[in-house]
Amino acid sequence: MTLNRLPAIFGVFMTMFLIQEAFLDRINFFIGGFSLYLAIFMAWIMQEERNSAVTTGFIAGFIADLSPTLEAPFGLWTLVLTGMSYILATNIRAALDSELSPVVMTIVTVFGSSVALILFLVFGAILGEDVGSGAYVTQEIFGNAMWALLLSPLYVPMTVTLYRLTLTARNR
Amino acid sequence: MANRGTNRTRLLWVSLLVTSLFLITLDLRGVSLVSSIRSGTQSLLAPIQRAGSNFLSPISNLFEDITNLGRTKSKIDALKNENEELKSQLILNENIVGELDQLKGVLNLAGKARFKVVSARVISKGGTGTFGETIVLDSGSNAGIKRDMTVIAAGGLVGVVKSTTATSAVVLLMSDPSFRIGVRVAGSQDMGVLSGEGDGKFSLRMLSATGQIKAGDVLLSRGSSGDKPFVPGVPVGKVITVDNATGQLTKQGRVLGFVDLNALGVVSVVLDNVGGNPGDALVPQAPRPAPTVTVFVTPEPTTGG
């Protein structure tokens, strides 16, 4: 990963974070909610090579931890997304074809988002955070997965375009 | 070569994981730098959230409106006629009217209890990925809002102020899984602890083995020392079911909150409790049936012909 890609990656995820916090969080999705930030992160990581993926995971996690409405300790999202990025970039990505189809990207994004949310809850619980009722947690995770699936025709092409824009000539 | 690349990735991964664990440790140990990063972010976010709130307020409840469409069909027909008449009289922004209603309701409640309050608009709320139930208000320490102040709406309790910046405040909603409040049953004065569960329902556990609850009981906040974080006497919710399982030391039940936490537009933060404990004065009154007006018409004999 070239260092001059870092500001672009930081800028993209910071913009997504602001959109999530200021706009998407205001919408009452009738089942659970939708984290565009998480969906874009998963679709992004699928395209990155291993070293870049891990660094991007750390940056995206750090930005997610900035959320002032977050009850969990600072660093929890950083831990989860850094871990997820490594798993996706090494294990999952290696098992797939080199050319990713939109369908595969959508499936991995939906499952990846759900796994990230579950890991966040589990690590949060280990650190002493209160976890809501089973019905609430299930609704939130299922709702996010459903919206991630339904809205994938919008955000997957957008993520691919954004990712290509951040590539330097050397990366291409 | 590939192996060396894998090792380098692994080394990077481990060092970043250790860094994130270090951040968690710093936060759990209460290092102020970490918490000030979040409050700094809130200061930056507040103007964007305010703009987002203004932009999105007409469509934020779009999904709820769609799901309620079937149930409200007949209401819509009736309202259409009424709407036509009202259109000619007054054209007002629906959002402003809704907010005014909420403001009127919450000021009524605060007035009854003689709470000194400051009202604020809800500009954002915690979303997926936080698993926390929070809202952000457009007023902060400049308006006198401080951490651990009670937040109320027209129906009753909303939550408690978690953090503030100069122009915004983050409120932990009573539905948050970490939320706990001491409550008493209006009338019997039996005490219990109410816990949030993430959705609109709450669990109640009575403190004493002799404490009794039944469906329909109204719960009020018990109040805290120095009125922080909770002022006394604020309506919290109504008991909907009582768990009668044997082997429990104290009674438990499920509670439905008085306030719809998904439809908050304007709330009030209690700055001071001037009137002391209002007792049971704030218990919501059941709606009284409107008296039926009967009009007798006596036909007059027609003249002429």
Side-chain angles (χ1 to χ4, degrees), chain A residues 62-147:
Chain A
F62 188 88
I63 294 171
D65 272 321
L66 292 174
S67 174
T69 56
L70 200 60
E71 277 292 295
F74 195 100
L76 189 53
W77 265 125
T78 315
L79 181 75
V80 170
L81 294 191
T82 309
M84 280 299 294
S85 60
Y86 183 78
I87 294 166
L88 279 174
T90 54
N91 300 22
I92 309 290
R93 186 72 183 86
L96 300 169
D97 294 334
S98 56
E99 282 298 317
L100 286 167
S101 72
V103 177
V104 171
M105 279 184 82
T106 303
I107 292 168
V108 176
T109 301
V110 171
F111 280 99
S113 303
S114 304
V115 172
L117 288 173
I118 291 167
L119 285 177
F120 178 79
L121 271 181
V122 170
F123 284 122
I126 291 169
L127 291 169
E129 290 295 311
D130 286 296
V131 180
S133 64
Y136 167 71
V137 169
T138 312
Q139 182 183 305
E140 285 292 312
I141 294 171
F142 174 76
N144 183 63
M146 188 188 79
W147 291 114

Side-chain angles (χ1 to χ4, degrees), chain B residues 62-109:
Chain B
L62 179 72
F63 290 112
E64 277 184 19
D65 293 345
I66 290 169
T67 50
N68 287 328
L69 200 61
R71 273 171 276 169
T72 53
K73 179 84 176 68
S74 55
K75 268 189 187 173
I76 288 170
D77 289 336
L79 284 170
K80 263 183 186 170
N81 297 332
E82 197 181 338
N83 195 30
E84 288 302 317
E85 291 169 23
L86 290 171
K87 254 185 191 173
S88 57
Q89 294 170 19
L90 198 63
I91 299 170
L92 273 176
N93 186 312
E94 281 182 17
N95 286 309
I96 293 172
V97 174
E99 283 183 359
L100 275 175
D101 280 346
Q102 290 192 357
L103 185 62
K104 210 167 108 181
V106 71
L107 290 179
N108 270 342
L109 184 79

